[in-house]
Amino acid sequence: MQDNSYRNERDEMRDLLRQFENLRTGMSHGFLEEDAFEKIIDYFDDKDDIAGALEAAELGVGQFPYSASLMVKKADLLIATRKYNDALEILEKAEILDSSDIDIYILKTDVFLALDEHEKAVGLLEEAISLFEGENRINLLFELADVYDDYEEFDKVFDCLVHILEYEPNNEEALYKICFWTDFTGRSEESIRLHQHIINEYPYNELAWFNLGAAYQGLKLFEKSIDAYKYALAINEKFDYAYRNMADAYIRLRKYRDAIESLEKVIELARPEDVIYEAIGHCYDRLKQYAQARFYYKKASHLNSDDSKLYYKIACTYINELSFSKAVQYLESAMRIHRMQPEYNLAMGECLLELGNIKDAIIHFSNVVKAKPRGIAGWEALIRCLYKEDFLEEATEQIDNAQQVAGDKPLFLFYQSAVLFAMGKSKEALLILQKAMERAPRLLKKFIELNPTILQNQQVVDLIAYYKRKRSI
């Protein structure tokens, strides 16, 4: 029966096209009804034959000069050919004939936007919204939201979606969109009130529960967001985005095992994604289960081999296990993608330092300094490396450079004091240490880490004791 229906439609279309061809060439033809012209226009339009469709529209309007629907089709084609003023003129005529046709207002909006007349588009839609009810009003509100989006009036986009949901609380498209715009505009408190109202009326609306959870999450009320997501999952246990967001909330609360459980549900319900495997790896990392973390980081890297960050994270798991040679292998993979990334160079330098490759360690620490000259981490690592290898003159030079480029930070004073002690300049070293202690006594541990035997120096011990007493008073 379906084959017969298709065949009949095809034969009917062939007959209409034959009659249309006779009409346009002035040959004898049968009478074409208004809906026949509409079908012919749609046929040419579907074939991307705009010229043919426009000719059919013009002939149709000529045959039926009071047909608003044919005028609308002609206007749509004129817009496609950028004849905006002609389109607007014919839409004005169509509106007089049939002001209840929503397409007239949508096409006029398109014309105003094409002419960059934003205010006219907004005014038209706001006026039209008051004329319509039901689905037409909803469609116009969505159209108005799109206009506001185009002109970056984002709070008004949110307002339009609120109006839609007040009018039709279960509108899925609006529920999906308002979740994004709540986060984008930061209007979480309003979103909470809106969705609580919807839930009171429709307690089994899973999207409303989800959006409520997302709004709580936007306010960092993670416990409440988790409760909302659980309600969404009680309604739809296959709602994978609820598991995703719930996992994020658990991570924020440092409940890593609960987060892993939620992320594993995502894997069960959706296609494998590198970000999900990476998130599971992160959770195991935080739990100090480095082998498990590494397993999931590797699964993530198999899905996204161009993400250098994943190789870096794998390397960090090896560093935490003191497996520096293996860490170097993965850092090399990361640096093949982003050679000068400061984090990677810093980690590589530390690994090479542990492995006794001082020369290359210094090169990588120098790369960090070049990439982030105003950052402290690169200077600290470079100076520490030079100090530990007794390159004291070079260490002194780099401390001077660091103070000039990164600023007169207290840490550099502690390192300067340590270098001076190592060079046998105890008097000068004590003066610098005193200055450092005045400014940042909490950094003393950095000074001691460089050379723990310094605590055998009675003058240093006395100075430290003095500042401890001073702080306790």
Side-chain angles (χ1 to χ4, degrees):
M1 289 181 66
Q2 288 180 345
D3 288 344
N4 288 335
S5 175
Y6 171 74
R7 192 177 297 112
N8 290 337
E9 288 178 9
R10 187 183 59 190
D11 291 342
E12 180 191 0
M13 194 71 244
R14 188 182 294 120
D15 183 55
L16 288 176
L17 290 171
R18 185 173 61 252
Q19 291 185 59
F20 173 72
E21 183 62 23
N22 290 339
L23 170 65
R24 63 180 290 276
T25 56
M27 296 175 64
S28 175
H29 59 86
F31 180 74
L32 288 170
E33 299 284 352
E34 183 179 343
D35 67 332
F37 277 104
E38 291 182 8
K39 289 177 182 177
I40 293 166
I41 293 166
D42 289 341
Y43 172 83
F44 285 123
D45 197 11
D46 290 342
K47 298 287 186 183
D48 289 327
D49 183 354
I50 301 299
L54 192 54
E55 185 179 8
E58 287 171 347
L59 287 170
V61 170
Q63 293 278 349
F64 298 95
Y66 301 106
S67 170
S69 61
L70 285 174
M71 289 182 182
V72 168
K73 285 190 176 292
K74 181 179 178 181
D76 192 15
L77 294 164
L78 288 169
I79 291 170
T81 56
R82 300 184 181 180
K83 296 177 180 177
Y84 302 120
N85 290 320
D86 291 343
L88 193 58
E89 184 180 339
I90 200 167
L91 286 168
E92 297 286 359
K93 293 177 182 176
E95 187 177 353
I96 294 169
L97 294 168
D98 184 7
S99 61
S100 66
D101 188 342
I102 189 175
D103 288 335
I104 292 171
Y105 302 97
I106 291 174
L107 290 176
K108 284 178 77 173
T109 300
D110 291 342
V111 170
F112 287 137
L113 293 177
L115 296 172
D116 201 24
E117 295 179 345
H118 168 238
E119 291 182 2
K120 283 187 179 181
V122 169
L124 171 69
L125 287 171
E126 287 179 342
E127 182 183 345
I129 286 164
S130 65
L131 302 175
F132 290 91
E133 297 292 331
E135 187 178 346
N136 283 339
R137 173 180 280 189
I138 299 296
N139 288 337
L140 287 169
L141 280 165
F142 275 123
E143 190 76 18
L144 182 57
D146 288 342
V147 172
Y148 284 134
D149 186 7
D150 287 343
Y151 284 85
E152 298 185 0
E153 296 183 53
F154 301 128
D155 278 307
K156 291 183 178 180
V157 177
F158 182 90
D159 293 337
C160 286
L161 295 171
V162 169
H163 289 319
I164 292 169
L165 289 169
E166 288 172 345
Y167 191 76
E168 189 180 302
N170 288 320
N171 187 289
E172 283 196 13
E173 184 179 354
L175 285 166
Y176 278 116
K177 286 185 174 182
I178 203 166
C179 186
F180 168 81
W181 287 108
T182 297
D183 181 58
F184 192 87
T185 59
R187 293 169 69 175
S188 297
E189 291 179 1
E190 293 170 73
S191 183
I192 288 168
R193 289 194 293 272
L194 171 69
H195 288 97
Q196 284 176 333
H197 179 74
I198 293 171
I199 288 163
N200 288 338
E201 217 176 323
Y202 301 97
Y204 294 101
N205 186 324
E206 67 198 65
L207 287 174
W209 281 110
F210 177 84
N211 290 353
L212 180 62
Y216 279 131
Q217 207 158 352
L219 294 174
K220 300 186 177 0
L221 299 172
F222 299 118
E223 296 283 7
K224 286 188 173 183
S225 72
I226 289 167
D227 288 340
Y229 293 136
K230 284 181 177 178
Y231 276 109
L233 289 165
I235 299 164
N236 178 6
E237 62 182 12
K238 295 185 177 180
F239 197 165
D240 64 308
Y241 278 95
Y243 282 115
R244 288 169 187 260
N245 280 22
M246 190 160 65
D248 180 72
Y250 278 130
I251 289 171
R252 307 284 181 178
L253 293 169
R254 296 185 174 86
K255 295 184 176 181
Y256 300 113
R257 295 201 181 280
D258 290 325
I260 290 168
E261 189 177 328
S262 295
L263 291 165
E264 285 174 342
K265 283 287 188 181
V266 177
I267 292 171
E268 287 178 24
L269 295 170
R271 292 174 59 187
E273 293 179 60
D274 57 297
V275 291
I276 301 300
Y277 287 132
E278 183 181 353
I280 296 175
H282 170 78
C283 291
Y284 280 117
D285 225 336
R286 291 293 184 175
L287 292 168
K288 301 189 188 306
Q289 294 179 234
Y290 300 120
Q292 282 289 86
R294 189 159 55 243
F295 173 77
Y296 282 99
Y297 289 147
K298 286 182 178 180
K299 286 177 80 72
S301 70
H302 292 154
L303 294 176
N304 188 359
S305 58
D306 294 328
D307 189 348
S308 62
K309 178 176 79 274
L310 292 170
Y311 299 113
Y312 169 71
K313 290 186 174 184
I314 294 168
C316 287
T317 65
Y318 281 121
I319 291 170
N320 288 327
E321 293 175 339
L322 308 181
S323 298
F324 299 109
S325 295
K326 289 182 179 178
V328 166
Q329 294 174 20
Y330 283 93
L331 287 170
E332 286 173 344
S333 296
M335 293 173 71
R336 275 195 285 272
I337 301 169
H338 292 115
R339 188 174 66 85
M340 292 301 291
Q341 180 70 22
E343 280 180 301
Y344 306 168
N345 276 277
L346 190 61
M348 180 67 89
E350 297 289 1
C351 288
L352 294 173
L353 186 59
E354 292 289 342
L355 294 169
N357 188 343
I358 309 306
K359 182 180 177 182
D360 287 340
I362 290 172
I363 290 171
H364 286 288
F365 291 144
S366 298
N367 286 342
V368 180
V369 168
K370 288 175 189 174
K372 297 183 74 173
R374 298 187 66 81
I376 295 177
W379 289 110
E380 178 188 1
L382 179 59
I383 295 163
R384 178 165 38 84
C385 179
L386 293 169
Y387 173 87
K388 288 191 173 182
E389 296 306 313
D390 286 327
F391 298 145
L392 300 178
E393 293 293 340
E394 290 87 342
T396 301
E397 184 182 338
Q398 293 303 333
I399 290 168
D400 289 341
N401 292 336
Q403 289 172 323
Q404 289 176 27
V405 177
D408 186 21
K409 301 293 192 294
L411 178 65
F412 301 146
L413 292 176
F414 279 108
Y415 279 10
Q416 186 179 11
S417 175
V419 172
L420 288 169
F421 273 117
M423 296 173 77
K425 300 178 181 180
S426 299
K427 187 175 180 180
E428 190 179 349
L430 275 170
L431 290 172
I432 298 295
L433 180 59
Q434 183 177 357
K435 191 187 295 185
M437 289 294 290
E438 285 282 354
R439 291 181 59 186
R442 71 186 184 281
L443 294 177
L444 176 65
K445 61 182 180 182
K446 293 278 189 181
F447 172 77
I448 296 170
E449 283 171 2
L450 275 183
N451 181 15
T453 61
I454 197 72
L455 293 176
Q456 295 173 12
N457 184 314
Q458 190 59 47
Q459 290 178 303
V460 171
V461 172
D462 290 344
L463 184 64
I464 293 170
Y466 169 76
Y467 279 99
K468 282 187 176 179
R469 287 196 302 273
K470 189 176 177 181
R471 288 176 64 191
S472 63
I473 293 173

